[in-house]
Amino acid sequence: MNRSDSVIIIPTYNEKENIEKIIRAIFALEKFFHILVIDDGSPDGTAAIVKRLMAGEFADRLFIIERSGKLGLGTAYITGFKWALQHDYEYIFEMDADFSHDPADLPRLYSACHDEGYDLAIGSRYVSGVNVVNWPMSRVLMSYFASQYVRFVTGFKVHDTTAGFKCYRRRVLQTIPLDEVRFKGYGFQIEMKYTAYKIGFKIKEVPVVFVNRREGTSKMSGGIFGEAFFGVMRLRWDGWFRKYPKIAE
């Protein structure tokens, strides 16, 4: 295998319009990354596209785990995290398939962890204003004030608590008890950041511009936001009474 210290985990469900483009964009970067796609039984043939690329020019740097159906964003990432730890990657990324996260920002997240010594780098829409393009205003406001709500309830100082564009150092994912993570939707993003913060990991928000998808269909729903909204009080309760693990060396 052509070794890399970094793997980008991309969960997919019906992303045939985007998946090959995002893979090629990442592999065109100067930094050498690996990619792991977690596909939840996409009926549109997303997995077949990935496997075609794996069998051809991207052998040994593109990988896929196929699951039986839509099992939730959080469980997809947990599956990917465990795979990445088993395969000895030092830097483990979360990224969407739809180009809402710009592949050109990946080296900046990597640098925050590799060069600056942070444990978790977050591609943040809100650390330097509101950097969102082509979203309806109602969704911008919902997302922005959801992060403000989390900050208010928990005392957590991260500006973009629901961000899904991140780089972890492996010791973060070795320390967090992955099988105890409760949330499956976008609450998962809040829970992982908050847990890392409570354990004592160093976190940096890297300003990025979030661009709404141009192709394919959004997977966002009211239920996903509901889980995040109502789960925050549980996180605040945990913050008072839960005994968090110590940082793994």
Side-chain angles (χ1 to χ4, degrees):
M1 184 192 301
N2 294 316
R3 288 299 306 165
S4 173
D5 63 354
S6 304
V7 63
I8 300 162
I9 301 170
I10 305 179
T12 56
Y13 183 78
N14 287 349
E15 290 289 356
K16 68 177 182 180
E17 298 92 349
N18 295 304
I19 191 61
E20 181 168 354
K21 295 174 186 175
I22 197 77
I23 288 169
R24 290 189 179 278
I26 292 167
F27 287 157
L29 296 170
E30 183 176 349
K31 162 68 182 163
F32 188 78
F33 290 103
H34 285 181
I35 296 174
L36 172 65
V37 174
I38 312 287
D39 186 71
D40 272 7
S42 298
D44 72 346
T46 298
I49 295 170
V50 175
K51 288 188 282 189
R52 171 174 56 80
L53 296 172
M54 289 171 60
E57 61 194 291
F58 299 133
D60 294 333
R61 62 185 301 199
L62 175 62
F63 310 93
I64 189 169
I65 295 175
E66 295 181 81
R67 305 200 303 170
S68 59
K70 294 183 72 174
L71 303 175
L73 181 74
T75 65
Y77 276 125
I78 295 296
T79 297
F81 293 160
K82 291 179 177 179
W83 184 94
L85 293 174
Q86 290 169 358
H87 289 80
D88 297 324
Y89 292 97
E90 181 61 34
Y91 303 97
I92 301 160
F93 292 74
E94 296 182 15
M95 187 178 188
D96 290 346
D98 61 6
F99 284 93
S100 55
H101 303 147
D102 186 348
D105 289 324
L106 287 166
R108 297 171 59 227
L109 296 180
Y110 175 79
S111 179
C113 292
H114 179 268
D115 301 325
E116 299 177 46
Y118 288 92
D119 298 299
L120 170 58
I122 300 167
S124 177
R125 297 163 290 187
Y126 306 130
V127 71
S128 60
V130 178
N131 295 313
V132 177
V133 177
N134 293 336
W135 254 11
M137 183 54 66
S138 59
R139 190 166 169 189
V140 173
L141 292 173
M142 182 183 294
S143 174
Y144 177 78
F145 284 109
S147 283
Q148 293 298 310
Y149 166 72
V150 174
R151 284 162 56 87
F152 175 75
V153 171
T154 65
F156 187 27
K157 301 306 180 185
V158 166
H159 292 81
D160 194 350
T161 57
T162 62
F165 193 22
K166 296 187 282 185
C167 174
Y168 296 93
R169 288 182 62 192
R170 70 176 284 115
R171 70 177 192 155
V172 178
L173 301 179
Q174 287 175 317
T175 305
I176 293 175
L178 297 177
D179 289 331
E180 296 177 16
V181 175
R182 290 186 298 266
F183 298 149
K184 291 182 170 59
Y186 276 77
F188 166 82
Q189 303 292 8
I190 301 169
E191 182 177 2
M192 289 293 293
K193 295 182 190 73
Y194 185 69
T195 303
Y197 159 75
K198 292 297 291 185
I199 290 171
F201 286 112
K202 293 172 60 181
I203 301 173
K204 179 175 183 177
E205 289 188 86
V206 176
V208 300
V209 175
F210 181 96
V211 180
N212 195 28
R213 68 164 60 235
R214 295 186 179 91
E215 297 183 85
T217 304
S218 174
K219 315 307 185 293
M220 186 66 68
S221 70
I224 286 173
F225 269 107
E227 179 202 56
F229 185 86
F230 291 109
V232 169
M233 292 304 297
R234 177 66 181 270
L235 290 180
R236 172 71 278 189
W237 183 264
D238 283 352
W240 284 326
F241 298 107
R242 179 181 175 185
K243 185 175 181 180
Y244 290 90
K246 294 182 178 180
I247 296 175
E249 298 298 335

